[in-house]
């Protein structure tokens, strides 16, 4: 290395007398000695002994160059040399030397001593100045290094800048800073001045792997390596051999701040270097000073980090309180962003949540990945598989320094871009909801403190998820309660089953986002399930088409047949699933029987499409709604039965009232006819007698014939009334063929039909069995119905008659249909009551008598208007013999 450094401070070089090699100094003295010897004789022979004082020159040089002792010794040497030279060059040279040398010899010795002392004084002064300048340089460079640590221009380069400063400070060729990671108990190469890129080389030393690291950190003293045996240490092999450097000496400086081990600084020299104790002492002191600065920076960094963590956690906590407003996704994204911000080495962060249905981990919040290039390793992670899968099972955080060498990492065909991975559980109590992980391309990028921070962020994520789930559960519960309330309100307030079913399917689809909702009703006769109501346009189309499934077909039919709910999130795996072409996207289906006790009324069917799916909560909700529907359907059925019973009771009551009226009227008519019969008989007898009288004019006879005819008609009418309302006896009933009576009546009234332009059409049942009846009375009923029909068709029309057996073959049914004006709606409900008629000449007794006759035969008669025109009368008469009272 040169004697200057990047800071502009020049290294002080010692003076020539200090720096020149001893052999050079001796050569200089020898040169002047030889020069003196060579020139002494010629000069002395020519000029005398004037050259003798020149001997002081080498003496002066010896004292100046080698000090006091050398000066004095050289003085004695040159005094003797002068003696020899005097002896050789001058006659009586010894005598001359003795006479003249006393003062001169003393001066020579004095010169050697003076210049020797001057040498010592100047050497000590130069040495002190050199030491002061060296100390000043040391302190300045140390201050620069310390200031650079405390106030780095580029924080990411602080370790490299420190290494460079120490290389300059100790005039080394290479420098390496090994940071000590106490959490992982290993040394990590943090910076190097080597021309090779250390980022591509894995420099990690486990505890005990390097004797140098262990020794320096244990003894807390600087260590010098200056032989090949020491340089075989694994640490040096890794650092120097792999870099292709020929290192001869290494100075290892511990960086210790009290009990804190921050690392070691390795200063390497290409040449062999001997270190003075003062240099070693400076190295140790400098290491302590730098370690204190690093410790301060580290503590300040930790404080700042804690402040950032506290601020980030506070921000997350504030955000958690607003989860309802901003949504879970925003909170989770804030958490991964905070992880990337608070853990410096983080390049990517991701939160996976566990899909309990599919048992896979899926990413919900990601940062650091291109939006169009999310790592495939983020998808489809299963529990107990890979690092995240292990965290899901154990709940313990995992910090992997190098995924390429750690067996816990799930390897694939190609490794991902990151090398370090740290994963913590997103855990609420004992329940693990997912994982939060951070990644870095650096090896050993994450510390134990950062691991604890990641665990804290995972806890925050769990709180956010629990809050969101709680909110969702509350909202879902409110929806469910509202749905059940509305269904129950509809059940209480409405008796219209169709409206209730329609409201239910629309409510479920709208409030819970189901793909399709439908309700089937079991058809009693066939056990088929028939669509009663469906949601949306598809449901209305299916209902209009009369969609039905045979018993046992499809998931709906299976639920109806077994009486148990059936639920699947993959219909393709259900062999009895029957896909509806109107619902091609169905993936999940839930069918719940609508039943009370052991009776099944129908099936409530729910279908869903991805990404939605059905859960146990859906089963609970739909089952509760199905129970409500069962109550509604049972209520509707009971209401319908009640209405039927009420109608029957009303009909029976009306019939009893009618019967009582008929009975009263019959007794009245029988009494009146009985009372009228005697006077009429007397009148008839008197008229017959008058007719026999002579002298009656022709006009009188004619008038008498009219009176007799009318009295005869009146007598017949009274006889008919008496016959009608007299008690019917069992022996009066005979087996009677209704078809024959219809034909007899048609023959009787056919002239009347032709006269009124009425077409007669008869459709008899050829297999019609005979009935036990009073044929004259049944004939009277049929005649009355025919005549009323003809009267209703004043402008002609068509009279259609049909006879058949009822469906249960217990009754003969006579149907009389006309195309006349119909029955007035005002009198239709009371058409069979006495004196009720809309005919100008009618008495209103014909239908009353007919009703009474049919009732006595244990039959029934009805009247109704046709949709287009005319009216229809139907008479039911029992086939089997019944007791007639």
């Amino acid at each position: 290395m040169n004697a200057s450094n990047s800071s502009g401070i020049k290294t002080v070089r010692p003076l020539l007398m200090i720096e020149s090699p001893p052999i050079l100094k001796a050569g200089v003295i020898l040169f002047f000695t030889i020069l003196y010897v060579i020139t002494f004789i010629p000069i002395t022979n020519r000029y005398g002994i004037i050259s003798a004082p020149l001997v002081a020159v080498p003496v002066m040089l010896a004292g100046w160059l080698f000090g006091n002792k050398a000066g004095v010794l050289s003085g004695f040497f040159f005094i003797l040399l002068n003696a020899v030279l005097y002896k050789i060059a001058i006659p009586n040279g010894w005598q001359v030397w003795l006479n003249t040398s006393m003062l001169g010899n003393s001066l020579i010795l004095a010169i050697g001593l003076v210049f020797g002392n001057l040498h010592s004084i100047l050497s000590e002064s130069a040495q002190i100045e050199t030491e002061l300048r060296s100390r000043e340089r040391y302190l300045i460079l140390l201050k620069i290094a310390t200031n650079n640590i405390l106030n780095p221009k580029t924080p990411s380069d602080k370790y490299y800048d420190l290494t460079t400063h120490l290389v300059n400070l100790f005039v080394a060729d290479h420098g390496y800073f090994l940071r000590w990671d106490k959490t992982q108990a290993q040394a990590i190469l943090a910076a190097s001045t080597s021309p090779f890129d250390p980022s591509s080389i894995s420099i990690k030393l486990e505890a005990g792997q390097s004797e140098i690291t262990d020794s320096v950190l244990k003894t807390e003293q600087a260590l010098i390596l200056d032989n090949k045996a020491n340089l075989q240490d694994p640490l040096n092999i890794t650092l120097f051999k792999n870099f292709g450097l020929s290192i001869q000496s290494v100075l290892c400086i511990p960086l210790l701040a009290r009990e804190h081990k921050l690392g070691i600084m390795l200063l390497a020299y290409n040449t062999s270097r001997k270190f003075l104790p003062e240099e070693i002492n400076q190295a140790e002191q400098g290491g302590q000073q730098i370690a204190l600065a690093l410790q301060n920076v580290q503590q300040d960094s930790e404080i700042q980090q804690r402040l950032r963590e506290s601020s980030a956690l506070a921000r997350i906590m504030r955000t958690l309180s607003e989860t309802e407003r901003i949504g879970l996704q925003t909170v989770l994204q804030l958490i991964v962003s905070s992880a990337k911000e608070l853990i410096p080495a983080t390049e990517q962060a991701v939160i996976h949540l566990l899909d309990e249905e599919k048992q896979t981990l899926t990413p919900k919040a990601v940062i650091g990945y291109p939006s169009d290039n999310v790592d495939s390793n983020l998808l489809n992670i299963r529990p107990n598989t890979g690092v995240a899968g292990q965290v899901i099972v154990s709940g313990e955080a995992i910090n992997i320094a190098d995924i390429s060498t750690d067996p816990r990492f799930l390897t694939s065909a190609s490794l991902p871009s990151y090398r370090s991975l740290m994963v913590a559980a997103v855990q609420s109590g004992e329940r693990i909801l997912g994982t939060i992980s951070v990644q870095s391309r650096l090896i050993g990028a994450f510390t134990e403190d950062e691991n604890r921070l990641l665990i804290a962020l995972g806890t925050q994520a769990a709180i956010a998820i629990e809050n969101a789930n709680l909110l969702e559960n509350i909202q879902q519960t409110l929806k469910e309660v509202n749905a059940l309330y509305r269904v129950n309100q509809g059940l209480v307030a409405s008796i219209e089953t169709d409206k209730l079913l329609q409201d239910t399917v629309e409510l479920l689809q709208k409030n819970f986002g189901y793909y399709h909702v439908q309700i089937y009703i079991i058809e009693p006769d066939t056990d088929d399930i028939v669509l009663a109501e469906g949601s949306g346009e598809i449901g209305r189309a299916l209902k209009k088409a009369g969609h039905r499934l045979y018993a046992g077909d499809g998931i709906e039919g299976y639920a109806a047949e077994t009486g148990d709910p059936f639920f699947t999130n993959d219909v393709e795996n259900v062999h009895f699933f029957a896909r509806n072409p109107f619902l091609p996207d169905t993936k999940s289906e839930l069918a719940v029987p609508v039943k009370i006790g052991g009776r099944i009324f129908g099936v409530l069917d729910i279908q869903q499409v991805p990404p939605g799916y059905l859960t146990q909560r859906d089963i609970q909700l739909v089952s509760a709604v199905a129970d409500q529907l069962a109550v509604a359907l049972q209520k509707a059925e009971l209401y319908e039965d009640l209405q039927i019973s009420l109608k029957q009771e009303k009909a029976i009551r009306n019939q009893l009232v009618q019967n009582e009226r008929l009975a009263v009227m019959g007794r009245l008519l029988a009494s009146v006819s009985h009372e009228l019969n005697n006077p009429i008989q007397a009148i008839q007898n008197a008229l017959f007698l008058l007719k026999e009288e002579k002298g009656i004019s022709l006009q009188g006879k004619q008038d008498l014939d009219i009176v007799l005819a009318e009295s005869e008609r009146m007598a017949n009418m009274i006889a008919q009334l008496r016959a009608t309302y007299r008690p019917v006896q069992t022996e009066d009933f005979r087996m009677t063929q209704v078809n024959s009576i219809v034909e007899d009546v048609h023959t009787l009234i056919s002239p009347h039909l032709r006269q009124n332009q009425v077409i007669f059409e008869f459709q008899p049942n050829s297999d019609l069995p005979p009935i036990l009846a009073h044929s004259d009375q049944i004939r009277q009923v049929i005649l009355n119905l025919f005549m009323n029909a003809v009267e209703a068709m004043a402008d002609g029309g068509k009279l259609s008659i049909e006879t058949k057996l009822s469906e249960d073959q217990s009754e003969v049914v006579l149907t009389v249909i006309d195309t006349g004006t119909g029955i007035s709606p005002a009198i239709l409900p009371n058409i069979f009551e006495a004196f009720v008629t809309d005919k100008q000449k009618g008495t209103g007794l014909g239908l009353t008598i007919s009703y009474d006759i049919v009732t006595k035969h244990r039959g029934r008669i009805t009247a109704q208007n046709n949709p287009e025109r005319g009216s229809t009368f139907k008479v039911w008469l029992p086939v089997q013999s019944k007791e007639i009272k």
Side-chain angles (χ1 to χ4, degrees):
M1 296 288 292
N2 296 327
S4 61
N5 53 67
S6 60
S7 64
I9 299 176
K10 184 175 293 186
T11 303
V12 178
R13 296 292 186 182
L15 297 175
L16 179 60
M17 65 182 121
I18 297 175
E19 287 190 344
S20 300
I23 189 169
L24 178 60
K25 298 175 184 179
V28 172
I29 297 172
L30 181 61
F31 170 76
F32 281 99
T33 301
I34 294 173
L35 180 64
Y36 173 73
V37 171
I38 293 174
T39 60
F40 182 83
I41 295 175
I43 293 174
T44 300
N45 290 334
R46 187 169 181 176
Y47 300 106
I49 58 173
I50 62 173
S51 63
L54 295 177
V55 76
V57 173
V59 173
M60 180 183 62
L61 289 174
W64 179 263
L65 294 177
F66 289 100
N68 291 336
K69 292 181 181 181
V72 173
L73 289 176
S74 65
F76 281 110
F77 172 76
F78 281 103
I79 290 172
L80 293 177
L81 179 62
N82 272 350
V84 174
L85 292 175
Y86 268 73
K87 175 74 175 171
I88 297 173
I90 304 171
N92 298 316
W94 283 104
Q95 189 63 38
V96 176
W97 179 77
L98 288 174
N99 294 331
T100 61
S101 63
M102 182 62 67
L103 180 59
N105 291 337
S106 299
L107 290 174
I108 290 173
L109 291 175
I111 290 172
L113 181 60
V114 170
F115 275 88
N117 287 333
L118 183 60
H119 166 271
S120 297
I121 293 172
L122 293 177
S123 294
E124 289 177 3
S125 176
Q127 185 175 358
I128 291 173
E129 183 180 359
T130 300
E131 289 178 356
L132 289 175
R133 290 182 179 275
S134 176
R135 186 68 177 174
E136 180 184 10
R137 174 182 177 275
Y138 167 78
L139 293 175
I140 292 175
L141 290 178
L142 184 60
K143 180 180 179 182
I144 293 174
T146 305
N147 288 336
N148 191 71
I149 293 172
L150 296 174
N151 301 291
K153 294 180 180 179
T154 307
S156 60
D157 294 336
K158 64 181 179 179
Y159 291 140
Y160 175 78
D161 293 340
L162 170 63
T163 305
T164 303
H165 286 304
L166 290 181
V167 167
N168 289 333
L169 179 61
F170 293 98
V171 198
D173 294 300
H174 309 285
Y176 306 90
F177 175 54
L178 291 173
R179 180 177 60 84
W180 180 254
D181 189 334
K182 63 180 180 180
T183 59
Q184 301 184 31
Q186 61 182 184
I188 302 173
L189 179 63
S192 169
T193 62
S194 169
F196 300 94
D197 181 12
S199 64
S200 62
I201 302 175
S202 300
I203 305 297
K204 278 193 161 208
L205 301 175
E206 301 294 339
Q209 179 180 349
S210 171
E211 296 176 4
I212 293 177
T213 307
D214 297 340
S215 176
V216 172
L217 294 177
K218 185 179 295 183
T219 62
E220 301 182 0
Q221 295 179 349
L223 178 65
I224 299 172
L225 303 178
D226 55 1
N227 60 67
K228 291 187 177 180
N230 289 335
L231 292 175
Q232 294 305 311
D233 181 270
L235 173 61
N236 296 301
I237 292 175
T238 302
L239 288 176
F240 310 134
K241 299 301 182 182
N242 286 354
F243 289 170
L245 303 175
S246 177
I247 304 300
Q248 300 299 320
S249 299
V250 177
L251 175 60
C252 305
I253 305 174
L255 301 179
L256 304 170
R258 294 182 292 275
E259 72 278 5
H260 301 288
K261 299 177 181 180
L262 303 179
I264 63 174
M265 180 67 69
L266 302 181
L267 300 177
Y269 299 84
N270 294 334
T271 59
S272 180
R273 172 76 181 270
K274 298 298 182 181
F275 296 94
L276 298 175
E278 185 176 355
E279 291 179 310
I280 297 175
N281 185 48
Q282 287 181 349
E284 292 178 348
Q285 291 179 356
Q288 292 174 1
Q289 187 72 21
I290 290 172
L292 287 174
L294 286 173
Q295 179 68 12
N296 289 336
V297 171
Q298 192 174 70
Q299 289 178 346
D300 182 66
S301 176
E302 290 177 355
I303 292 173
Q304 295 298 324
Q305 178 71 4
R306 296 295 177 268
L307 290 175
R308 288 195 299 270
E309 291 175 6
S310 300
S311 176
L313 293 177
R315 186 168 66 252
I316 292 172
M317 290 299 294
R318 289 195 302 270
T319 307
L320 288 177
S321 64
E322 301 176 354
T323 303
E324 178 182 0
R325 181 176 62 84
I326 64 177
L328 175 62
Q329 182 61 40
T330 302
V331 179
L332 296 181
Q333 196 62 43
L334 174 61
I335 291 174
V336 294
S337 299
S338 299
K340 189 174 185 298
E341 174 187 349
L342 297 176
I343 303 176
T346 299
E347 296 173 1
Q348 298 93 25
V350 58
I351 291 178
H352 286 90
L353 295 186
L354 179 63
D355 186 333
E356 296 182 355
E357 179 71 21
K358 300 179 181 178
Q359 282 298 294
T360 58
L361 286 167
T362 55
K364 294 298 181 182
V366 177
I367 191 171
Y369 287 92
S371 58
D372 58 345
N373 187 26
V374 177
D375 196 317
S376 61
N377 288 331
L378 296 179
L379 305 175
N380 300 326
I381 302 175
R382 295 190 175 276
N384 217 18
T385 302
V387 179
Q390 295 176 51
V391 171
I392 280 293
V393 174
S394 67
E396 298 293 331
I398 295 178
N399 186 358
I400 294 183
D402 189 351
I403 63 172
S404 63
T405 59
D406 197 304
R408 293 174 296 181
F409 184 78
L410 183 63
T411 58
S412 58
S414 61
L415 288 175
S417 59
Y418 58 86
R419 297 294 294 275
S420 295
L421 174 65
M422 185 164 60
V423 185
V426 176
Q427 187 170 1
S428 175
E430 298 297 324
R431 185 184 176 200
I432 299 178
L433 307 173
T435 63
I436 179 172
S437 58
V438 292
Q439 303 154 6
S440 175
R441 285 178 294 180
L442 300 177
I443 296 175
F446 307 118
T447 66
E448 188 64 27
D449 289 338
E450 292 169 341
N451 192 31
R452 287 192 289 270
L453 173 60
L454 191 65
I455 293 173
L457 291 175
T459 302
Q460 297 299 314
I463 294 173
I465 295 169
E466 287 294 292
N467 287 348
N469 288 341
L470 180 60
L471 175 62
E472 183 180 357
N473 288 338
I474 292 175
Q475 292 175 337
Q476 182 74 5
T477 301
L478 289 175
K479 287 182 180 179
E480 293 172 0
V481 171
N482 179 58
L484 294 176
Y485 173 78
R486 291 179 61 179
V487 171
N488 188 62
Q489 286 295 103
L491 172 65
V492 172
S494 175
I495 59 174
E496 298 181 14
T497 306
D498 293 342
K499 183 66 167 61
L500 178 61
L501 297 183
Q502 181 182 0
D503 291 344
T504 300
V505 297
E506 297 297 341
L507 176 68
L508 290 176
Q509 184 187 45
K510 180 180 179 181
N511 281 23
F512 301 98
Y514 296 132
Y515 172 51
H516 186 68
V517 182
Q518 53 191 2
I519 299 174
Y520 288 89
I521 300 297
I522 295 180
E523 191 174 67
D525 297 337
T526 62
D527 287 336
D528 293 349
I529 55 173
V530 181
L531 183 67
E533 198 62 58
S535 60
E537 294 295 332
I538 294 177
R540 287 188 283 273
L542 290 172
K543 180 180 179 181
K544 185 176 181 180
H547 176 65
R548 65 169 57 212
L549 292 172
Y550 294 113
D553 281 0
I555 292 177
E556 305 94 319
Y558 177 84
E561 189 173 50
T562 61
D564 296 321
F566 187 88
F567 156 72
T568 179
N569 274 318
D570 189 359
V571 294
E572 299 301 335
N573 290 333
V574 179
H575 68 276
F576 52 81
F577 169 70
R579 183 173 294 281
N580 190 321
F582 286 88
L583 303 167
D585 300 324
T586 297
K587 182 67 174 179
S588 305
E589 186 168 2
L590 167 62
V592 178
V594 178
K595 65 178 182 178
I596 292 181
R599 184 182 178 191
I600 300 175
F601 293 91
V603 176
L604 175 56
D605 184 64
I606 305 294
Q607 299 186 26
Q608 187 60 288
V609 296
Y613 58 91
L614 301 174
T615 64
Q616 290 295 326
R617 186 153 192 161
D618 293 302
I619 297 178
Q620 297 173 2
L621 168 66
V622 176
S623 297
V625 174
D627 291 341
Q628 296 287 339
L629 287 178
V631 173
L633 293 176
Q634 185 184 51
K635 172 188 172 183
E637 186 179 68
L638 292 174
Y639 179 79
E640 184 178 357
D641 292 342
L642 177 61
Q643 292 300 312
I644 293 173
S645 299
L646 289 174
K647 288 181 179 180
Q648 291 177 346
E649 188 272 337
K650 183 178 180 180
I652 292 173
R653 185 174 64 251
N654 291 338
Q655 185 174 359
L656 290 175
V657 172
Q658 180 73 359
N659 290 342
E660 183 62 25
R661 289 177 179 175
L662 291 175
V664 172
M665 186 182 66
R667 289 193 294 271
L668 177 61
L669 290 175
S671 176
V672 171
S673 61
H674 177 75
E675 294 299 326
L676 291 177
N677 185 57
N678 291 333
I680 288 177
Q681 289 292 333
I683 292 172
Q684 283 182 324
N685 292 333
L687 291 174
F688 278 118
L689 292 175
L690 287 174
K691 188 178 180 180
E692 295 298 327
E693 291 289 335
K694 295 181 184 262
I696 299 175
S697 65
L698 180 62
Q699 183 62 42
K701 287 183 178 182
Q702 291 177 352
D703 293 337
L704 186 59
D705 288 337
I706 292 173
V707 173
L708 283 174
E710 290 300 320
S711 64
E712 181 68 23
R713 189 171 67 86
M714 185 178 298
N716 291 334
M717 182 180 298
I718 291 174
Q720 185 178 4
L721 288 174
R722 294 181 64 189
T724 299
Y725 288 100
R726 70 178 178 83
V728 180
Q729 304 298 322
T730 303
E731 56 270 15
D732 295 333
F733 284 75
R734 299 286 187 273
M735 296 304 297
T736 304
Q737 177 57 255
V738 175
N739 288 341
S740 299
I741 296 177
V742 171
E743 292 174 352
D744 291 345
V745 172
H746 173 247
T747 302
L748 178 63
I749 68 170
S750 56
H752 188 62
L753 294 175
R754 288 192 299 271
Q755 183 180 356
N756 289 276
Q757 300 179 354
V758 175
I759 301 172
F760 183 83
E761 183 181 87
F762 182 33
Q763 297 179 354
N765 185 341
S766 58
D767 298 327
L768 197 68
I771 62 172
L772 186 65
H774 192 296
S775 58
D776 290 341
Q777 291 185 351
I778 297 301
R779 183 178 288 103
Q780 183 178 351
V781 170
I782 294 174
L783 177 60
N784 195 12
L785 293 177
F786 285 8
M787 294 302 293
N788 285 345
V790 173
E791 290 177 5
M793 296 182 286
D795 299 328
K798 182 178 180 180
L799 178 62
S800 300
I801 312 298
E802 180 186 13
T803 58
K804 64 179 181 179
L805 279 173
S806 62
E807 291 182 358
D808 58 0
Q809 297 186 347
S810 64
E811 294 175 304
V812 169
V813 182
L814 171 67
T815 304
V816 179
I817 304 173
D818 65 68
T819 59
T821 57
I823 306 170
S824 172
I827 65 171
L828 181 60
N830 305 313
I831 191 67
F832 295 108
E833 294 184 9
F835 309 113
V836 175
T837 182
D838 59 353
K839 294 186 292 183
Q840 295 180 355
K841 297 181 179 181
T843 62
L845 293 176
L847 289 178
T848 302
I849 294 172
S850 299
Y851 182 90
D852 188 52
I853 292 172
V854 172
T855 302
K856 288 180 178 179
H857 282 75
R858 299 296 186 262
R860 50 200 170 93
I861 182 172
T862 63
Q864 66 182 28
N865 285 320
N866 298 330
E868 295 181 357
R869 59 179 300 181
S871 60
T872 299
F873 285 82
K874 285 189 177 183
V875 178
W876 286 266
L877 297 171
V879 173
Q880 300 296 328
S881 300
K882 294 184 181 180
E883 181 180 359
I884 305 298
K885 295 182 180 180

